[in-house]
Structure formats: C-alpha cells, structure tokens
Amino acid sequence: MLDDKPMSFWTIMVGMAVWVFMTTAPTESLLKRAGKTFVSGALAFGLSSDLAERLAIGEGTAAVAIMAFGLIFLDTATTVFSDRKFLTELIKGRFGVKPDADSK
C-alpha cells in the first residue's frame, strides 16, 4: 500500500508535514497543530495521485499544493467556526431572525 510511492514523494510529504506543523499558530494547542498536520497530510496522500493525473503534474507537486491549500482551508474553517457571534448571526439569518431582535 505505502510501498508504491517513490522515496521523493515521501521526502516531500515529510517536509510538508514539518512545514505545516511549524506554520500553524503557536498559540494553538499541540494536539490541534498535530491534527491539522495529520489531516492535510492525509488529504495529500489520498488525493495527490488523482490531482497529478488530472493536471498532468508530478505527484509530489500535487501533494505540496494539497497540503498548502489544505492548511489554508483548515485555518480559515477553524477561524470561522470558532467565532460564536458570527455563527449565531449566520444561523439567525438562515431562520429569518433579525439581528437586533435579541438586543431589545
């Protein structure tokens, strides 16, 4: 299963995992940083061959792109979903509740 990838691919994966781990916010917990690193690495491992085939690029290049954009997506999602006020207003809006209805 893991043996069909060349050593260069695994070097890229390890390098990107270190980069992802180091570039996540140092204020985040170690577990959260490790989780983001694992998720972006798993996405890269699982999707790199498909992306490489579709875009006619190398699998290592595809893995780098997936891990980098995966980290950006994860950071954005973490920020959006941790903002309780934003989520509350979004949910209220979906149910047709006016934003000022609870402040009176």
Side-chain angles (χ1 to χ4, degrees):
M1 180 174 116
L2 301 177
D3 297 335
D4 61 341
K5 306 281 187 191
M7 187 63 161
S8 61
F9 176 82
W10 291 113
T11 304
I12 290 168
M13 288 290 290
V14 168
M16 280 301 293
V18 170
W19 179 78
V20 166
F21 188 79
M22 290 175 57
T23 58
T24 53
T27 57
E28 292 180 339
S29 70
L30 183 61
L31 184 61
K32 193 172 195 178
R33 292 170 66 188
K36 283 184 180 181
T37 302
F38 175 78
V39 169
S40 64
L43 288 171
F45 177 75
L47 298 173
S48 62
S49 61
D50 291 338
L51 184 64
E53 185 179 315
R54 287 188 183 263
L55 299 180
I57 59 175
E59 198 169 354
T61 305
V64 168
I66 292 168
M67 286 186 86
F69 288 113
L71 177 63
I72 292 168
F73 175 78
L74 290 170
D75 282 342
T76 304
T78 301
T79 303
V80 168
F81 290 117
S82 66
D83 185 354
R84 292 177 142 273
K85 184 177 179 183
F86 172 77
L87 287 176
T88 303
E89 294 301 320
L90 182 68
I91 292 168
K92 284 180 180 179
R94 296 296 289 168
F95 285 106
V97 177
K98 293 181 181 175
D100 296 328
D102 62 345
S103 63
K104 291 183 179 182

